[in-house]
Amino acid sequence: MGIEEKLPSGFLLTSVETAAGWVRKASLFPATFGLACCAIEMMTTGAGRYDLARFGMEVFRGSPRQADLMIVAGRVSQKMAPVLRQVYDQMANPKWVISMGVCASSGGMFNNYAIVQGVDHIVPVDIYLPGCPPRPEMLMDAILKLHDKIQHEPLGVNKRRAQELAEELALDATPTSEMRGLLR
Ligand code: SF4
């Protein structure tokens, strides 16, 4: 939490939000972290043909302390889950997570005891990227969507208001147990 969290609501906070969002989205550093086949597509995204360098993101950081983006590329085994959480905990704040591929998001075809059925059981996820494996273009699209999210991330009182609103909407939502249609 920095000084921006203490600013009063109004023009100043909005200006700080815009500036902080722009700076944060333009200086994302991904952590070097690949788990399975999806990681090959992630590496391809950093290579010359797709050129993550256009966003200044081509150098995957060797230390989580220098990274603020975790791309979970591939299935997460139960054994790997605590390691993944430790890497996440060591990353600099504020930090973001992209869940790349159906295995990372939901366990995918590996519905068994060895694989975590969704990495959001371990770390908070900002963007879910479908596909098996997602193509580099899809990962770049997810990164652009994350840029957009970071640019419009509220701070201070605006953030607290957004969190309260999200909580109210979640409490008002129809529970899945009462939903009809494809779920029944
Ligand atoms: S989503 Fe497909 S490509 Fe990615 S880790 Fe799972 S099986 Fe491999």
Side-chain angles (χ1 to χ4, degrees), residues 69-98:
L69 172 63
M70 174 183 270
I71 303 174
V72 184
R75 54 193 169 269
V76 185
S77 66
Q78 298 285 357
K79 262 194 163 180
M80 197 62 186
V83 181
L84 186 143
R85 180 69 208 197
Q86 187 171 3
V87 171
Y88 177 80
D89 286 339
Q90 290 178 344
M91 282 165 53
N93 262 322
K95 51 196 166 190
W96 297 274
V97 176
I98 294 178

Side-chain angles (χ1 to χ4, degrees), residues 8-181:
S9 176
F11 172 73
L12 181 60
L13 181 58
T14 312
S15 309
V16 172
E17 269 175 357
T18 309
W22 183 75
V23 170
R24 284 172 177 174
K25 82 169 185 189
S27 61
L28 273 183
F29 286 159
T32 304
F33 197 72
L35 292 168
C37 9
C38 273
I40 302 298
E41 300 294 318
M42 182 179 69
M43 287 184 256
T44 309
T45 315
R49 187 178 173 93
Y50 295 98
D51 197 16
L52 261 187
R54 71 183 93 176
F55 307 123
M57 293 172 64
E58 77 280 18
V59 180
F60 283 69
R61 314 313 290 194
S63 162
R65 295 177 208 287
Q66 298 165 357
D68 55 4
L69 172 63
M70 174 183 270
I71 303 174
V72 184
R75 54 193 169 269
V76 185
S77 66
Q78 298 285 357
K79 262 194 163 180
M80 197 62 186
V83 181
L84 186 143
R85 180 69 208 197
Q86 187 171 3
V87 171
Y88 177 80
D89 286 339
Q90 290 178 344
M91 282 165 53
N93 262 322
K95 51 196 166 190
W96 297 274
V97 176
I98 294 178
S99 171
M100 181 180 182
V102 67
C103 287
S105 300
S106 69
M109 68 192 91
F110 302 100
N111 184 8
N112 61 42
Y113 63 87
I115 300 296
V116 175
Q117 300 299 297
V119 72
D120 49 9
H121 291 280
I122 315 295
V123 291
V125 173
D126 295 279
I127 303 276
Y128 294 89
L129 175 53
C132 174
R135 297 227 356 117
E137 293 92 338
M138 294 169 72
L139 179 57
M140 296 196 86
D141 183 58
I143 288 169
L144 288 175
K145 287 196 165 60
L146 182 63
H147 282 180
D148 196 50
K149 184 178 175 186
I150 294 170
Q151 177 68 70
H152 297 104
E153 212 159 82
L155 297 172
V157 277
N158 292 351
K159 186 175 174 179
R160 282 193 287 282
R161 270 191 216 131
Q163 286 167 339
E164 282 162 16
L165 183 65
E167 200 172 320
E168 273 172 32
L169 288 174
L171 288 172
D172 288 346
T174 312
T176 43
S177 58
E178 289 175 16
M179 286 183 183
R180 297 287 184 274

